[in-house]
Amino acid sequence: QVELVESGGGLVQAGGSLRLSCAASGRTSSRYVVGWFRQAPGKEREFVSGIVWSSGNTFYANSVKGRFTISRDNAENTVYLQMNSLKLEDTAVYYCAADPVFGSWSPHRMRYWGKGTLVTVSS
């Protein structure tokens, strides 16, 4: 079992920045992949960014490429999502998810999920 706890959400003005954290505990492994997903009201959950823990390879949705940066801290077992130049449409609950197998970034195949952290971008 892997436990994931997100933090760092909040209210920010458009153009501002936030850094989300995802702390992992339990039966973690360097083979895991960790992704950030988000779900806005009335919309389906969507992939935002992901990282392969062992290699450090990163992936981004087109909508956030160039604005968001995902990174990991091996010592802290934590994955970060630095979000810059935030837009109104980035408003959502952001979830951290992990899976021991790297297949695709579909939210349906991620095994472990955190409870989410709310990001609200205001004008």
Side-chain angles (χ1 to χ4, degrees):
Q1 188 72 13
V2 173
E3 292 76 42
L4 303 170
V5 178
E6 304 95 336
S7 62
L11 175 64
V12 62
Q13 284 192 323
S17 299
L18 279 176
R19 188 177 80 155
L20 304 183
S21 300
C22 172
S25 61
R27 298 187 65 180
T28 58
S29 166
S30 62
R31 296 191 300 272
Y32 274 59
V33 296
V34 180
W36 284 98
F37 297 79
R38 66 187 181 188
Q39 187 165 18
K43 295 189 176 181
E44 292 190 356
R45 193 168 298 188
E46 64 175 2
F47 168 74
V48 175
S49 181
I51 187 166
V52 179
W53 196 280
S54 57
S55 66
N57 287 348
T58 58
F59 303 81
Y60 297 93
N62 288 335
S63 58
V64 307
K65 204 170 291 184
R67 300 187 298 123
F68 291 10
T69 303
I70 191 170
S71 62
R72 73 193 189 303
D73 184 321
N74 292 332
E76 297 293 328
N77 242 16
T78 299
V79 173
Y80 300 99
L81 185 68
Q82 178 67 43
M83 307 187 295
N84 299 328
S85 303
L86 282 161
K87 304 176 180 180
L88 297 178
E89 52 264 41
D90 294 319
T91 295
V93 177
Y94 283 71
Y95 297 91
C96 175
D99 197 273
V101 178
F102 182 32
S104 74
W105 292 110
S106 167
H108 301 291
R109 63 165 302 280
M110 302 300 286
R111 183 176 300 185
Y112 304 107
W113 288 87
K115 293 183 178 180
T117 185
L118 176 63
V119 172
T120 304
V121 183
S122 65
S123 59

